[in-house]
Amino acid sequence: MLYPRKQLDIRWRDLAAAAVRCLLPSDLSGSEAQVCRTFAPDRPVLVTFAVRAGFDLFLKAQGWPEGSEILMSALTIREMADIARKHGLIPVPLDLNLGKLAPELSAMEAAITPRTRAIVIAHLFGSRVEMEPFIAVAKRHGILVLEDCAQAFTGVEYTGHPETDAAMFSFGSIKTATALAGAVIRLKDAHILEKMRALQQEYAVQSRAEYFHLIFTHVLVKLFTIPLLYGLFYRACVWFEKDFDQVINAVRNLPPEDEEEDLALIRKQPAAPLLAFLLRRLQTFNTQRLRERRELGKQFAQALPAGMTCLGTAAPFHSFWVFPVLVEAPERFAAELRAYGFDATTAGSALSVIAPPPGGKFPAPENLRAAHRKLLYLPVYPEVPPRARPRLQCALHEIQREAPHLRVIDARRVYSAQLRTIHSPRTVSDIREILLQAHRENRSICLMGTTHNLGGHSFANGAVALDLKRFNRVVSLEVPGRRITVQSGITWEKIQETVNPAGLAVKAMQSDNNFTVGGSLSANAHGRDLEFSTVIQSVLGFRILLADGSVVHASRTENAELFRLAIGGYGLFGIILEVDLELVENSVYQQSSEIMPLASLPEYFDRKIQGDPHARLFIARPSIAARGFLDDTIVTKWRVTPARPKNIFRLDHERNVRRDRFLFALSRKYSWGKALRWHAEKFISLHPPRGGFVSRNNAMRPPVSAIKMFDYHSPADTDVIQEFFVPVPRFLSFMESAREVLRESQMNLLGLTIRYVRPDTESFLSYAPCEEALAAVLYLNEPLSPEGWAKSNALTQRLTRLAVQNGGTFYLTYAREVEPDDLRRAYPKIEEFFRQKHRFDPENRFTSRFFEFYTSHFVVRRAAAGG
């Protein structure tokens, strides 16, 4: 059972009646006249396809000169501001009083200029703004007043203030008394009405088939908002790893957030069945439900936990069309609330905050910007049964008091932090505003992506965290130039989906494609490619937001030092915004594997892999079974081939996940399970599916993601990774000693893979700075106890020193409490790294547990005091 975020305000019999009207003949003009008489018999009224269509018609009828200004409530439907701009007008946002959800009169007065033509005041969330003071100011300055009542219909007892020039009411899909589409515009001037009607009559009429399709869609929506079915629908989205909010928005047919309004889609006359059904909705309006909704909203607003605010409760009238509250980390709060059986959303409507026009002439709506980041819509409506309401209130109090939505933990489940808040920005302006707010409040910032980190690199106690997963657009793709520009929160998987149709692939990336680009750059991740082993080799440049609020471009020729520091800099130098990546041909490879003793690997690698001009990818997996422990090894390579099997370039998806997880689980608990898994891996490797043919993109989205393999939750233990890089000539010596160390430790080794890493002289903290290296990636099962952690830490320290003694390094991404001397030997530039960190970010605005732990061991503080 999951109570949905909102119920459609429509009965099954109403949907049936709407469908019948699509089948029966009806009079378009007659139905419109009846709607107008029913809505406001003594006033000029026009029925339009949507409020946006009515607003568009109003602006066309006015014909104001280009460059005219129109004041608007800063929180409104994004498309309303788009429509004003398309008419050559300049939207000027007015910040709102959050209690009344109304602009301040002083702000209105200050914003009026000789170019101001009108003010649009939105009645938000079911509240109603007291209009008389604004009308008085408007009359004094000779400007028009429009009411956006899309969210505020409460029956024909209120059709807008008599003195406003237009009042626009929506009957769209989620509105009160919905007709699934349509709007009613009450006007003051009959002459404007005639001009708008004449303009609308030039439009095509919405077809009956289009309206019938809308009805059918909403039958499905209403069906799936039955709490049991809605809960199953949510579980299905989780199962198939689909973004629940994005699926809901797709069903509602909401445009993407960055997509401008297409006026052609709304410039149409409403269909005759829509008009007939709208008349029915007006004539049968349910006043009893409205009273219940208002009373329930008042009760919940009064019973909210401390620190949680319901918007608009100080307004003179509030019908609680939705129930908006302000909470920290609203998306994570919603996730916690779903565990109690109640859906909530940050995407309950298409509202956004209007940015002021450039030039600094008008102030930004800072009040609303801060509030909008905390906005969450709760399922407070009469259809939630009385027996469930106390449970919802209890859930709100528990989450607010215990704040599980602000607690984060690393994938190893050792390091944790209590954050101040978590923001999920979607635009560069959102990110910059969060940084400025952190400056004002003197708070540190951490950066989060898909949160697979193991060393606490993306959080610190009391910090403000930026979850960048929704900052994930493809900015541009240049196919001839083999170049793509993306926002840093995008995953490699989405990039692959974008470039694959063009026959292109990423030049260098890690072998798992479900990490964000920003996270991979911050760790300078590596994969299985023999030529392009580290992510930095794919990067042509990036834009980064620095601690002082400036945005600079960094590349090998521009701000080159910052380029080297930020890639592999763990988010400590700024927020990477957009990344330019180099692409290569999506070649076809053929996979082949051999079984050999580990001692034969260096010679085989030199002769059959590096000596093979067609070899492109490589990985080796020694056995973890007791017999042949870290000796018998599967060596796999992928060679480029001219073969083009059928459908070879179609993007594959993960296969046999359940089978491989099952084998992995057996090997986690039983020694015989390790042997069984080893034999299974040998057979699968020697008999690859589809003859071993695979495209480059599919080779970099392996059949089973290691991350998903380690999606393991147990109160007793967890799976972790450690990685060591050792120069090729000394790798066998390292592995022979490591074999004995692992045996002595009696740690539960789940796997070990070997990869190749080319020398990297570009990134400042390079893990392969001087010579070619082989990487040993260890997968370990670790008890969740002080004894287990101590044992695992002791093993890691021994392996770290062993790698360093053999001229190698370790991967800082998985670093624990490494001894400072070992860290210096592996990363001789570490002190200079911290000094550069202080130079670029003297206030330590960007931080993490990793930074706070290691900076105390070096000279940063003394340097800061002396500088």
Side-chain angles (χ1 to χ4, degrees):
M1 293 278 286
L2 183 65
Y3 290 100
R5 57 194 63 177
K6 186 169 175 59
Q7 285 280 5
L8 296 180
D9 185 18
I10 193 169
R11 299 169 297 179
W12 288 110
R13 71 185 73 169
D14 294 319
L15 287 166
V20 168
R21 279 164 171 76
C22 288
L23 304 176
L24 299 177
S26 51
D27 177 17
L28 186 68
S29 59
S31 296
E32 181 184 8
Q34 284 186 281
V35 169
C36 295
R37 285 195 300 271
T38 303
F39 189 80
D42 301 323
R43 304 299 298 272
V45 175
L46 179 68
V47 185
T48 64
F49 179 69
V51 160
R52 291 166 292 143
F55 185 53
D56 175 53
L57 286 168
F58 186 88
L59 297 182
K60 286 177 74 174
Q62 294 295 337
W64 288 320
E66 188 170 337
S68 297
E69 295 163 358
I70 182 167
L71 310 184
M72 304 183 77
S73 297
L75 187 63
T76 187
I77 303 298
R78 174 177 53 80
E79 292 87 346
M80 294 291 279
D82 286 345
I83 290 169
R85 294 187 189 100
K86 287 181 181 294
H87 283 272
L89 307 179
I90 300 173
V92 177
L94 297 179
D95 212 344
L96 300 184
N97 177 300
L98 299 180
K100 298 180 179 180
L101 289 174
E104 300 289 354
L105 279 176
S106 58
M108 176 185 174
E109 291 265 18
I112 294 174
T113 74
R115 291 186 170 190
T116 306
R117 297 292 180 266
I119 180 172
V120 182
I121 292 182
H123 301 298
L124 296 168
F125 309 129
S127 69
R128 195 180 296 164
V129 176
E130 186 180 359
M131 294 301 299
E132 284 83 357
F134 299 97
I135 294 170
V137 173
K139 284 183 176 179
R140 192 161 64 248
H141 290 274
I143 63 175
L144 303 184
V145 180
L146 289 80
E147 292 179 81
D148 182 351
C149 305
Q151 301 180 2
F153 179 69
T154 56
V156 295
E157 46 78 31
Y158 184 79
T159 60
H161 192 282
E163 293 299 312
T164 55
D165 296 277
M168 304 172 287
F169 293 83
S170 173
F171 295 87
S173 62
I174 62 171
K175 299 301 192 299
T176 300
T178 176
L180 311 183
V184 176
I185 316 298
R186 196 275 300 147
L187 298 156
K188 182 179 179 181
D189 187 340
H191 176 65
I192 292 295
L193 168 65
E194 294 309 315
K195 290 181 69 173
M196 291 173 64
R197 178 171 284 130
L199 290 167
Q200 182 171 251
Q201 286 174 349
E202 297 176 1
Y203 299 160
V205 178
Q206 177 194 26
S207 70
R208 289 173 177 264
E210 180 185 339
Y211 188 56
F212 185 82
H213 181 266
L214 196 63
I215 296 167
F216 178 74
T217 300
H218 283 79
V219 168
L220 297 179
V221 170
K222 185 168 177 63
L223 183 66
F224 275 100
T225 53
I226 296 172
L228 179 58
L229 293 180
Y230 192 76
L232 293 173
F233 177 58
Y234 169 69
R235 305 288 176 198
C237 288
V238 173
W239 178 266
F240 291 107
E241 299 182 346
K242 300 297 182 182
D243 187 300
F244 187 52
D245 282 329
Q246 288 184 5
V247 173
I248 293 292
N249 288 344
V251 171
R252 288 179 54 196
N253 199 30
L254 291 179
E257 294 181 21
D258 59 339
E259 183 177 299
E260 288 190 0
E261 177 69 277
D262 184 351
L263 295 181
L265 297 178
I266 61 172
R267 285 179 173 173
K268 60 180 75 173
Q269 297 185 58
L274 167 56
L275 292 170
F277 185 54
L278 177 54
L279 177 62
R280 170 190 168 94
R281 300 297 281 145
L282 292 174
Q283 292 173 337
T284 61
F285 180 71
N286 190 344
T287 56
Q288 176 60 29
R289 184 183 186 277
L290 179 66
R291 284 195 295 270
E292 291 176 6
R293 194 176 76 189
R294 287 193 65 194
E295 187 59 34
L296 182 61
K298 289 179 182 177
Q299 292 174 4
F300 259 84
Q302 293 168 358
L304 288 175
M308 185 180 292
T309 304
C310 179
L311 297 179
T313 53
F317 179 89
H318 204 320
S319 70
F320 295 98
W321 169 66
V322 289
F323 196 88
V325 296
L326 300 183
V327 298
E328 301 294 345
E331 291 186 350
R332 291 172 65 100
F333 193 106
E336 294 291 337
L337 193 59
R338 288 184 189 119
Y340 290 85
F342 299 94
D343 186 29
T345 180
T346 61
S349 71
L351 293 175
S352 62
V353 180
I354 303 174
K361 179 180 176 183
F362 300 100
E366 307 291 356
N367 201 27
L368 269 175
R369 282 182 173 175
H372 193 248
R373 290 194 292 269
K374 299 181 179 182
L375 191 56
L376 182 69
Y377 301 91
L378 298 178
V380 177
Y381 47 81
E383 287 77 10
V384 174
R387 67 181 182 277
R389 295 170 193 171
R391 188 156 52 88
L392 173 57
Q393 290 179 333
C394 180
L396 296 175
H397 281 264
E398 284 186 10
I399 297 172
Q400 187 73 356
R401 180 180 64 252
E402 298 174 11
H405 58 303
L406 298 178
R407 285 200 301 271
V408 290
I409 192 167
D410 73 327
R412 182 180 164 227
R413 290 190 284 161
V414 173
Y415 304 126
S416 63
Q418 190 79 12
L419 299 172
R420 174 68 180 82
T421 191
I422 303 172
H423 295 300
S424 299
R426 291 167 168 81
T427 66
V428 174
S429 59
D430 288 344
I431 296 172
R432 180 182 280 112
E433 172 56 30
I434 293 167
L435 176 62
L436 293 175
Q437 185 177 355
H439 270 289
R440 291 192 295 268
E441 298 177 359
N442 193 27
R443 297 193 180 278
S444 297
I445 289 178
C446 297
L447 308 178
M448 299 168 60
T450 49
T451 62
H452 294 312
N453 81 94
L454 290 169
H457 295 82
S458 62
F459 53 74
N461 275 314
V464 173
L466 267 65
D467 182 343
L468 295 172
K469 289 193 297 293
R470 295 194 182 275
F471 186 64
N472 62 352
R473 289 180 50 235
V474 174
V475 178
S476 65
L477 171 63
E478 301 174 25
V479 175
R482 294 188 173 185
R483 175 190 184 110
I484 189 171
T485 301
V486 296
Q487 293 177 333
S488 59
I490 198 171
T491 61
W492 296 101
E493 180 178 23
K494 188 172 179 181
I495 293 177
Q496 289 178 323
E497 291 169 354
T498 302
V499 304
N500 191 70
L504 298 174
V506 177
K507 182 178 178 181
M509 59 173 280
Q510 56 209 108
S511 53
D512 285 301
N513 62 1
N514 50 1
F515 291 83
T516 62
V517 168
S520 296
L521 263 64
S522 294
N524 192 22
H526 69 95
R528 295 178 291 176
D529 196 289
L530 291 164
E531 184 177 3
F532 312 121
S533 54
T534 48
V535 166
I536 195 171
Q537 293 175 268
S538 279
V539 183
L540 298 171
F542 54 82
R543 293 173 66 231
I544 183 169
L545 177 64
L546 301 180
D548 62 5
S550 63
V551 176
V552 301
H553 184 267
S555 68
R556 291 172 177 84
T557 57
E558 184 180 2
N559 294 304
E561 186 176 36
L562 185 59
F563 180 86
R564 297 177 61 236
L565 287 162
I567 298 181
Y570 299 100
L572 296 175
F573 290 85
I575 304 169
I576 295 175
L577 301 173
E578 295 173 354
V579 185
D580 304 316
L581 296 171
E582 186 176 356
L583 305 173
V584 296
E585 178 188 354
N586 186 22
S587 304
V588 177
Y589 304 144
Q590 186 170 22
Q591 173 187 337
S592 63
S593 298
E594 294 188 39
I595 314 297
M596 65 186 66
L598 182 64
S600 302
L601 177 62
E603 188 271 337
Y604 178 88
F605 181 81
D606 179 64
R607 183 169 52 88
K608 291 290 189 75
I609 295 179
Q610 285 190 311
D612 183 349
H614 300 293
R616 293 293 182 269
L617 308 178
F618 154 80
I619 193 170
R621 296 190 300 278
S623 171
I624 59 167
R627 184 175 180 178
F629 180 69
L630 298 189
D631 187 8
D632 298 338
T633 305
I634 304 168
V635 181
T636 303
K637 68 176 177 179
W638 289 259
R639 301 177 78 245
V640 69
T641 173
R644 294 295 183 270
K646 186 179 179 181
N647 297 324
I648 189 66
F649 293 114
R650 180 185 298 167
L651 283 181
D652 201 358
H653 297 283
E654 292 180 306
R655 291 170 276 110
N656 304 315
V657 174
R658 292 183 180 278
R659 178 201 69 189
D660 292 339
R661 275 187 180 169
F662 174 72
L663 291 171
F664 211 81
L666 290 178
S667 69
R668 186 184 287 115
K669 295 191 177 297
Y670 309 106
S671 58
W672 61 264
K674 289 178 169 58
L676 176 65
R677 191 179 121 214
W678 168 246
H679 289 297
E681 286 178 349
K682 281 196 298 183
F683 181 84
I684 294 168
S685 297
L686 295 174
H687 302 85
R690 304 171 188 176
F693 291 102
V694 64
S695 70
R696 180 179 177 86
N697 276 325
N698 281 325
M700 292 184 174
R701 45 196 292 133
V704 181
S705 162
I707 295 302
K708 290 188 179 179
M709 187 73 82
F710 296 142
D711 189 12
Y712 169 66
H713 302 283
S714 165
D717 51 51
T718 187
D719 296 342
V720 301
I721 305 178
Q722 287 295 325
E723 186 166 6
F724 305 94
F725 306 88
V726 180
V728 175
R730 303 183 193 178
F731 186 74
L732 269 187
S733 173
F734 167 79
M735 284 299 300
E736 288 168 0
S737 300
R739 183 189 300 122
E740 298 308 312
V741 169
L742 286 162
R743 277 178 172 154
E744 290 173 15
S745 73
Q746 297 184 333
M747 284 292 293
N748 189 3
L749 181 66
L750 301 180
L752 190 150
T753 65
I754 299 170
R755 306 183 186 196
Y756 171 73
V757 178
R758 295 177 66 88
D760 168 24
T761 58
E762 290 194 295
S763 60
F764 199 90
L765 288 185
S766 173
Y767 43 78
C770 299
E771 13 180 351
E772 296 175 316
L774 290 175
V777 186
L778 280 71
Y779 306 86
L780 297 156
N781 180 258
E782 178 178 286
L784 290 174
S785 66
E787 296 79 12
W789 292 329
K791 186 177 177 181
S792 185
N793 287 346
L795 170 64
T796 301
Q797 188 176 71
R798 289 185 68 184
L799 291 174
T800 297
R801 288 182 177 169
L802 188 60
V804 171
Q805 289 166 6
N806 282 279
T809 62
F810 57 91
Y811 199 21
L812 274 176
T813 305
Y814 307 141
R816 306 185 183 188
E817 285 76 10
V818 179
E819 290 296 323
D821 287 343
D822 292 332
L823 184 56
R824 282 191 186 93
R825 282 195 290 270
Y827 292 91
K829 294 183 179 179
I830 188 70
E831 294 192 51
E832 179 61 22
F833 175 84
F834 282 118
R835 279 194 288 268
Q836 292 294 335
K837 154 70 174 171
H838 177 71
R839 182 167 73 88
F840 280 96
D841 181 16
E843 296 179 338
N844 289 338
R845 188 65 58 205
F846 303 110
T847 191
S848 67
R849 189 216 70 87
F850 162 82
F851 171 70
E852 292 180 357
F853 179 83
Y854 285 108
T855 189
S856 62
H857 293 281
F858 295 98
V859 298
V860 176
R861 293 184 178 178
R862 290 200 302 272

